[in-house]
């Protein structure tokens, strides 16, 4: 884990989302599903983001602007600098025989990198509109559905499911495939176990998602 100030290389729009490409410096991409804390200049708290894409010289993050922190990050332009800490937390287990990626909305953010590491397995991705579904172009071998159709309708049994998306989607996936690997979310202030801000109750136990997750397996 390292903390570095890196420069924005490009800010690209993908439907309603922003793909922020930054120069990689000495940062390691880590395991898909791990996350980084991104801090825009002048912001008090950093924000957790999954790694979307990694190349030799760049790291890229797919971001949905939903509040002040994400809006500040999405407003960064080429040449702007931001602080990045990571990789953090536990990513997906990659020792799976029949992977199926299941994603919803901005939950597809870690899938381009995950797909690359797993050799482009099938993916089923759900979005709330065709505009949001433009993000599916980043994930090879993806079948897409748009609401009111739900992503769980595209799932087939007998596969090793790796899922990321809104909580109701994760709960529905878990009901169908109890062994699925699920990437959970909670607001995070530190990202490395110090503040307890990310503690959530899962199956009756309090877990700090930043150190015990964000990916949890049953
Ligand atoms: C491990 C991890 C990886 C993530 N990866 C990505 C990613 O790749 N791309 C992306 O766009 N977003 C990602 N997120 C979510 C992102 O961190 C939040 O959207 C962001 O922190 C919101 O900050 P804000 O200041 O823009 O909005 P805020 O003003 O902080 O929040 C706006 C609203 O969203 C709620 N909220 C904020 N954060 C979360 C959260 N984490 N879970 C549930 N509700 C929340 C708040 O309660 C509030 O209602 C990830 C979160 C986690 C924990
Ligand atoms: S974000 Fe601080 S303990 Fe998890």
């Amino acid at each position: 884990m390292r903390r570095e100030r890196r420069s924005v290389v490009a800010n690209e729009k993908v439907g309603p989302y922003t793909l922020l490409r930054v120069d990689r410096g000495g940062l390691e991409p880590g395991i898909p599903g791990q996350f980084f804390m991104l801090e825009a200049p002048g912001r008090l708290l950093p924000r957790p983001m999954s790694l979307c894409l990694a190349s030799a010289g760049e790291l890229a993050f797919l971001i949905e602007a939903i509040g002040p922190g994400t809006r500040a990050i999405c407003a960064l332009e080429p040449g702007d600098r931001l602080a990045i800490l990571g990789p953090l937390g536990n990513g997906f287990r990659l020792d799976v025989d029949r992977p199926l990626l299941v994603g919803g909305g901005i939950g597809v953010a870690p899938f381009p990198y995950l797909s690359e590491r797993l050799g482009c397995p099938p993916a089923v991705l759900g979005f709330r509109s065709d505009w949001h579904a433009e993000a599916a172009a980043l994930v090879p071998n993806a079948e897409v559905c748009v609401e009111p159709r739900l992503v769980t309708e595209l799932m087939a049994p007998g596969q090793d499911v790796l899922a990321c998306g809104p909580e109701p989607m994760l709960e529905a996936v878990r009901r169908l495939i109890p062994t699925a690997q699920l990437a959970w979310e909670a607001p995070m202030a530190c990202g490395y176990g110090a503040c307890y801000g990310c503690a959530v109750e899962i199956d009756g136990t309090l877990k700090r998602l930043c150190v015990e997750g964000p990916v949890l397996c049953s």
Side-chain angles (χ1 to χ4, degrees):
M1 187 229 304
R2 292 171 67 96
R3 184 177 189 278
E4 294 196 5
R5 291 190 74 76
R6 305 305 330 157
S7 295
V8 174
V9 174
N11 176 324
E12 296 165 359
K13 296 300 166 206
V14 182
Y17 308 117
T18 294
L19 186 71
L20 194 77
R21 291 169 36 205
V22 301
D23 77 314
R24 181 164 151 176
L27 294 167
E28 291 297 328
I31 297 164
Q34 285 192 292
F35 67 96
F36 291 77
M37 297 299 283
L38 270 56
E39 187 181 340
R43 303 298 307 179
L44 204 54
L45 287 175
R47 292 291 183 260
M49 293 294 151
S50 312
L51 184 66
C52 180
L53 286 163
S55 66
E58 291 181 9
L59 300 179
F61 302 89
L62 187 69
I63 303 165
E64 181 172 28
I66 62 159
T70 43
R71 276 200 290 274
I73 297 169
C74 290
L76 294 173
E77 293 177 353
D80 288 344
R81 287 169 74 77
L82 73 166
I84 304 182
L85 171 73
L88 296 161
N90 293 314
F92 290 100
R93 275 193 298 101
L94 304 181
D95 58 339
V96 285
D97 294 328
R98 298 186 61 202
L100 174 69
L101 313 189
V102 179
I106 190 58
V108 307
F111 284 2
Y113 180 40
L114 177 62
S115 177
E116 184 193 314
R117 291 287 301 269
L118 287 173
C120 302
V124 292
L125 309 178
F127 296 93
R128 76 185 87 129
S129 74
D130 289 336
W131 191 39
H132 291 82
E134 286 179 31
L138 297 170
V139 184
N141 212 0
E143 194 178 349
V144 177
C145 69
V146 172
E147 287 181 16
R149 213 162 164 226
L150 297 177
V151 75
T152 41
E153 295 169 33
L154 302 180
M155 288 171 58
Q159 284 172 303
D160 298 309
V161 168
L162 302 87
C164 186
E167 202 171 317
M169 187 206 90
L170 295 182
E171 296 288 5
V173 168
R174 186 162 63 159
R175 278 194 295 278
L176 288 173
I177 314 275
T179 55
Q181 299 184 55
L182 307 174
W184 297 90
E185 266 200 27
M188 293 182 178
C190 72
Y192 48 82
C195 72
Y196 283 74
C198 65
V200 290
E201 191 177 319
I202 295 181
D203 295 335
T205 315
L206 268 190
K207 295 183 192 285
R208 277 174 303 167
L209 266 189
C210 68
V211 285
E212 297 189 59
V215 179
L216 298 174
C217 312
S218 304

